[in-house]
Amino acid sequence: MESIDKQTILRLANQNAKPCISIYMPTHRKGDEVNEGLDRILFKNQVQKVKNELLRADMRSNEVDELLKPLEGLLNDKEFWKNQTEGLAVFRNPELFEYFQSPIPFNDLCEINSQFRLRPLFAFTQSSSEYYILNITQKGTSLFQADQYFIHPVDTQDLFPASMDEILEPYELESEGQGQPQSKSGRMQGEASVHRGAKEENKYKDHLLADYFREIDKGVKQLLAQSKKPLVLACVEYYHPIYHEVNTYPFLREKGITGSLGTISQNEIHHKANELLGDYFTERQDKRITQYQNSSGSGLISHDLRQILESAVTGRVDTLFVKDDVEVWGLFDENNLTATIHDERKDNDESLIDKAIMLTLRNGGEIYIMNDVNVLPHTSESNIGIAALHRF
């Protein structure tokens, strides 16, 4: 199973073998939904729905069974249903079977068509704002690469020092809590330790931690030498000012994640980092919106679907803004650049909104799926919730 990204979606869009089965559903990491197998039951219902629809379309029973065999196998994999995320997407046609676990939930959807239904995945093609998380605990240091949706551990190639247990052994940090360090009675060694007061002991410990963090900083600089992406520090509050003092990576964020992080999962750390970064994720989108608004009246913007489709074919569309719930059905002839729009969906129709998105992606453009339409003119016959910023 691979991650959901632009290349994956383009590959799925190029599948031509029919029928194409697309299943989306919300799933759960824990709780009653997992304990009672509710996600599995929902998927079973979806598979049965697909089977009934294929049989109604006069597909032979043995052909239906063969086509759905991988879905039945997934249905019977009990361990699979115990290890879900927030959403599941499953795709099947006579030549392909793939599934993807999503960090965001999907609405329940099941469709059989001549192409896979890819609209719920388009959010993952948006220009992502990547960043790094540096997690320091007494047991060791980890580096993660992340964006708004995914997080992956980085191979640190043994560039970070081992655990700091030996440094912190004479001190107590209340299970890596927020308190000030206290020396452990009877465990200090050496004459200097015996005669140090509490204030001197803290200064000595800070000095040791600073030396330890300098070694981590060297590893960070080597791993991220060519990067200009933000780095979020995740560790107990006591470590933050000491690490910031020795840090030489210029893109370390001022605010970091604090708390006892030695026992929480990387997904929980990811969630905390996403909350902390705030507007960082919308910086690129906001820049594109400003470009769109500043180009008003220049001929470089459009909210007419037919014109956008023509421009997308020829690679003119730089950025496409789409309202998340807009839908238009019809047919588009790429060779003759003609679009036929229907008031209601008809047999063999395609989503013209999805078509515009796919053409934009194939030609290197950016897309943004939006909840609101502030960037767009007021709704009219020619504006149904889509807008394009052209390259030329």
Side-chain angles (χ1 to χ4, degrees), residues 39-277:
D39 292 344
R40 181 175 175 272
I41 292 172
L42 176 57
F43 185 69
K44 181 179 180 179
N45 293 337
Q46 295 281 38
V47 173
Q48 186 61 49
K49 180 181 177 181
V50 169
K51 184 174 184 178
N52 293 340
E53 190 169 336
L54 291 173
L55 291 173
R56 283 196 299 270
D58 295 328
M59 190 172 183
R60 294 179 180 178
S61 178
N62 62 322
E63 293 177 339
V64 172
D65 291 341
E66 184 64 27
L67 184 64
L68 299 186
K69 186 180 294 184
L71 279 68
E72 296 285 356
L74 199 63
L75 178 63
N76 295 324
D77 186 345
K78 294 182 179 180
E79 287 301 312
F80 173 77
W81 296 103
K82 293 179 182 178
N83 297 279
Q84 290 301 305
T85 54
E86 278 68 37
L88 177 66
V90 180
F91 303 97
R92 172 63 171 159
N93 69 13
E95 298 178 356
L96 175 142
F97 168 65
E98 291 189 23
Y99 64 87
F100 303 88
Q101 291 176 313
S102 165
I104 57 176
F106 294 125
N107 292 327
D108 192 15
L109 183 151
C110 176
E111 184 173 301
I112 304 173
N113 212 322
S114 58
Q115 294 179 310
F116 291 124
R117 181 65 161 167
L118 300 175
R119 174 71 69 88
L121 303 185
F122 286 149
F124 295 105
T125 70
Q126 295 180 190
S127 183
S128 62
S129 299
E130 295 183 337
Y131 65 95
Y132 292 93
I133 304 171
L134 181 66
N135 184 24
I136 303 176
T137 72
Q138 286 183 225
K139 300 301 181 183
T141 302
S142 302
L143 184 68
F144 299 96
Q145 185 174 10
D147 60 21
Q148 192 171 2
Y149 303 110
F150 299 102
I151 180 170
H152 307 282
V154 175
D155 181 4
T156 58
Q157 307 168 18
D158 298 324
L159 292 176
F160 292 155
S163 82
M164 64 175 79
D165 283 346
E166 291 186 6
I167 291 177
L168 297 179
E169 194 275 337
Y171 305 92
E172 184 174 4
L173 267 182
E174 297 182 0
S175 300
E176 292 202 320
Q178 304 301 312
Q180 293 293 318
Q182 299 175 355
S183 63
K184 293 183 180 179
S185 166
R187 302 187 68 177
M188 299 296 292
Q189 296 182 7
E191 184 177 354
S193 298
V194 171
H195 294 288
R196 274 197 296 268
K199 185 175 181 179
E200 289 179 317
E201 286 178 0
N202 289 348
K203 290 177 64 177
Y204 179 64
K205 177 181 177 295
D206 291 352
H207 173 75
L208 294 177
L209 282 172
D211 286 344
Y212 180 80
F213 291 160
R214 284 189 184 93
E215 295 302 311
I216 295 175
D217 177 65
K218 289 179 184 178
V220 169
K221 285 294 294 291
Q222 187 167 338
L223 289 165
L224 307 184
Q226 306 302 318
S227 176
K228 294 183 179 180
K229 297 170 183 175
L231 176 65
V232 176
L233 180 62
C235 57
V236 296
E237 187 173 1
Y238 183 77
Y239 297 168
H240 277 259
I242 303 172
Y243 188 88
H244 274 267
E245 185 176 345
V246 303
N247 168 68
T248 59
Y249 181 69
F251 303 101
L252 177 67
R253 302 286 283 202
E254 182 178 351
K255 292 184 178 180
I257 303 170
T258 60
S260 180
L261 306 174
T263 58
I264 72 172
S265 70
Q266 72 177 37
N267 289 319
E268 291 175 285
I269 293 176
H270 184 213
H271 178 71
K272 289 177 179 290
N274 278 349
E275 288 186 332
L276 188 67
L277 286 170

